Amino acid sequence: MNSYDKHYYDGAWQASTGTDAVDVISSATEESVARVPRGTGEDVDRAVKAARRAFESWSRTPVEERAQWLEKLSAAAKERSAQMAEAISHEVGTALGFSTKVQAEFPIMMIGMNAKFIREVSFEQELGNSLVIKEPVGVVGCITPWNYPLHQVVCKIAPALAAGCTVVVKPAEMAPLSAFMLAEAAHQIGLPKGVLNIVSGPGRVVGEALVSHPDVDMMSFTGSLAAGRRIASVAGEGIKKVCLELGGKSAFIVLDDAPFDKAIPAGVNNCMQNSGQTCSAWTRMIVPRARHDEAVELAKAQFAKLTMGNPFDKATRLGPLASAGQRDTVLGFIEQGKKEGATLVAGGGRPADLPTGFYVEPTIFANVDNRMAIAQEEIFGPVLAVIPYDSEAEAVRIANDSPYGLAGGVWGGTPEGALAVARQMRTGQVDINGGRFNTLAPFGGYKKSGIGREIGPLALEEFFQLKSIQR
Ligand code: NDP
């Protein structure tokens, strides 16, 4: 893979004011595949100033022109799609087929979709004697995690740029390469300077400098609850708007009258997507007690179909986890599950045939009590907890007994039955009876899963503020 020795801001590749570089590690080989600069607070300051200067003209650029820039950016990113997918498979361990479609092609398409969304926005509204106008928030700082690195960057920059904001992005240190490739695409099309800026480096240095910078008007963050808390409190000091997309511990409720042969494999596939490194993963499968063992057998059968191996092998469905730290965290939770008395029915350790790479076997715990740590805390790995319930009301109570509320699923014998349960779940998204992911639907969390929404036309609203003119 290509290394990068410069940040991208003010429309040019700029030498870092720091001297260090960060190795990007392949999760399958544990070797360095590229390097990026370890930025400093000074780099952030320069990038934010460039974004501030650019905001003056970008915010006044006609909507149609901004839409066209997004379409050009999407087209230029598309030329790099295969390269981006390859980079992400190295960084995150995602199987290449999934990387190609979900990690690269999907976000690239979403850039272009935001052109359509912004063209359809109604910017002005008459309310009594007021003219209410939507205006862009200003300079947006974007901090993103490593699990879907390009997707997370696009979820922020595409609606922000469409709305007329300018951005400074700090990608995750572990998976920064696709953000640099996106900067190459922006440079290639001649996107006006200072509109899209990228500075890489550690969260505690580059991230904190961005959040505390007085010229940043809004922070859009995706990542862990711990970092989200810190970012919200630093942003609060500066009275900045925040949008937070945090963790999840999503529940999949299988109703007694559901077709188990369809529902259980669908639940397993959802939980195991990207080797469980998905914030919206249905990691708690809540099943009727009388059909618990049947559900576990079906889950085991589906697990057996998920071939684990090198992300670049065609047969691979599950790659390694992204880092040694992530692997150790997941193994720690598995040990805790055993100690807490959950029944380990599949997996439970490192695969013996894959000694190199950050692999963890797909793991099922049965007879889980929802109070256990493996049911309360986000594991962010291939671990499924099967939890029995005695009544539908109890199933809903268990699903809602979580600090998080990001996503979820319900499968029932009828759409009406599933919908009635979905309505009672305190969570930002629920898929019923196999409902597919919708690129128009807002995505985001209740409770400690976050503040604000991303994806689709409604995500644009995060990047506007309202001005009322009385006459
Ligand atoms: P982290 O919270 O550790 O990191 C996310 C980003 O924040 C990284 O770029 C990191 O920098 C940066 N960061 C960390 N600390 C600070 C700080 N004090 N100030 C500013 N920036 C900081 O999360 P992970 O990268 O480990 O991602 C996994 C987490 O993200 C999971 O909890 C997952 O659920 C959540 N997530 C949520 C999603 C959602 O949409 N709700 C989607 C995807 C993930 P660096 O690591 O480079 O040092």
Side-chain angles (χ1 to χ4, degrees):
M1 303 297 321
N2 276 348
S3 286
Y4 295 85
D5 62 356
K6 294 185 169 68
H7 306 290
Y8 185 76
Y9 59 84
D10 211 10
W13 292 97
Q14 314 269 3
S16 183
T17 59
T19 50
D20 291 348
V22 183
D23 282 304
V24 179
I25 304 295
S26 161
S27 45
T29 65
E30 304 184 24
E31 285 167 3
S32 172
V33 287
R35 308 190 89 198
V36 297
R38 186 182 288 263
T40 66
E42 175 63 26
D43 296 321
V44 171
D45 183 51
R46 293 179 186 188
V48 171
K49 284 181 174 145
R52 173 56 60 196
R53 286 192 296 273
F55 179 69
E56 293 307 313
S57 54
W58 183 252
S59 57
R60 295 200 192 101
T61 301
V63 167
E64 178 52 34
E65 268 182 50
R66 292 204 300 261
Q68 287 173 15
W69 279 116
L70 285 173
E71 285 166 344
K72 284 190 221 163
L73 183 62
S74 179
K78 203 169 175 182
E79 291 170 24
R80 293 163 174 81
S81 183
Q83 208 186 330
M84 287 170 161
E86 187 191 347
I88 296 170
S89 285
H90 279 302
E91 294 169 331
V92 186
T94 313
L96 187 62
F98 190 78
S99 266
T100 302
K101 288 207 158 48
V102 177
Q103 295 273 27
E105 290 173 2
F106 172 65
I108 289 169
M109 178 190 77
M110 280 215 309
I111 302 175
M113 284 177 75
N114 274 275
K116 179 171 178 292
F117 299 153
I118 196 69
R119 287 185 178 115
E120 289 168 0
V121 168
S122 159
F123 281 87
E124 298 190 353
Q125 191 186 351
E126 299 280 353
L127 275 178
N129 67 322
S130 299
L131 174 66
V132 180
I133 305 176
K134 286 182 182 169
E135 294 191 338
V137 167
V139 175
V140 181
C142 307
I143 300 184
T144 53
W146 46 262
N147 61 336
Y148 289 87
L150 181 64
H151 170 81
Q152 311 293 358
V153 168
V154 166
C155 279
K156 298 174 182 339
I157 65 125
L161 299 191
C165 299
T166 55
V167 299
V168 178
V169 181
K170 189 216 89 65
E173 263 199 308
M174 264 162 57
L177 297 175
S178 54
F180 280 88
M181 293 171 193
L182 191 64
E184 285 175 339
H187 195 66
Q188 178 191 323
I189 62 167
L191 187 70
K193 67 178 186 176
V195 169
L196 170 65
N197 308 279
I198 296 189
V199 177
S200 59
R204 296 221 168 263
V205 179
V206 170
E208 293 242 5
L210 191 55
V211 188
S212 57
H213 198 292
D215 257 336
V216 170
D217 299 292
M218 169 178 170
M219 282 308 306
S220 179
F221 170 75
T222 299
S224 62
L225 177 56
R229 270 201 180 104
R230 171 79 189 145
I231 285 164
S233 69
V234 175
E237 282 294 312
I239 319 292
K240 295 180 203 299
K241 184 170 182 179
V242 287
C243 188
L244 304 173
E245 297 287 348
L246 308 176
K249 191 72 194 178
S250 296
F252 175 42
I253 299 179
V254 187
L255 298 177
D256 200 32
D257 59 355
F260 273 39
D261 57 330
K262 281 195 192 140
I264 304 297
V268 166
N269 289 346
N270 181 295
C271 176
M272 291 295 134
Q273 207 160 267
N274 204 20
S275 294
Q277 304 172 114
T278 302
C279 50
S280 56
W282 302 342
T283 48
R284 294 182 295 148
M285 183 181 277
I286 304 179
V287 302
R289 193 177 300 280
R291 299 187 71 182
H292 170 273
D293 294 353
E294 181 191 346
V296 169
E297 284 312 310
L298 285 165
K300 273 167 69 177
Q302 186 63 18
F303 265 57
K305 293 181 187 163
L306 303 176
T307 310
M308 172 164 266
N310 186 300
F312 294 97
D313 287 348
K314 276 221 160 61
T316 294
R317 288 279 300 278
L318 297 183
L321 299 185
S323 66
Q326 194 61 24
R327 176 196 61 202
D328 295 345
T329 303
V330 173
L331 291 173
F333 274 113
I334 292 173
E335 285 313 306
Q336 199 166 351
K338 290 184 203 163
K339 276 193 208 127
E340 285 179 311
T343 317
L344 181 68
V345 292
R350 297 177 63 172
D353 57 334
L354 293 165
T356 306
F358 309 125
Y359 295 92
V360 173
E361 290 174 318
T363 297
I364 309 178
F365 281 109
N367 286 308
V368 174
D369 181 317
N370 197 54
R371 302 308 318 160
M372 292 175 182
I374 53 166
Q376 285 292 311
E377 291 185 42
E378 184 177 51
I379 299 176
F380 229 53
V383 182
L384 175 69
V386 183
I387 306 173
Y389 68 82
D390 289 311
S391 68
E392 206 169 285
E394 191 191 12
V396 172
R397 190 186 54 70
I398 293 170
N400 288 340
D401 180 13
S402 167
Y404 297 108
L406 187 59
V410 183
W411 207 307
T414 63
E416 298 76 25
L419 181 60
V421 171
R423 285 187 192 279
Q424 298 172 64
M425 291 168 76
R426 302 250 315 132
T427 182
Q429 284 213 342
V430 189
D431 304 340
I432 62 170
N433 293 358
R436 280 177 298 112
F437 183 80
N438 178 4
T439 51
L440 300 176
F443 178 90
Y446 281 31
K447 300 191 269 182
K448 293 197 171 50
S449 288
I451 301 171
R453 294 293 179 267
E454 294 191 326
I455 303 183
L458 297 175
L460 280 167
E461 302 299 325
E462 303 290 341
F463 299 96
F464 291 130
Q465 54 191 342
L466 299 176
K467 176 183 280 176
S468 301
I469 301 173
Q470 287 61 244
R471 49 194 178 179

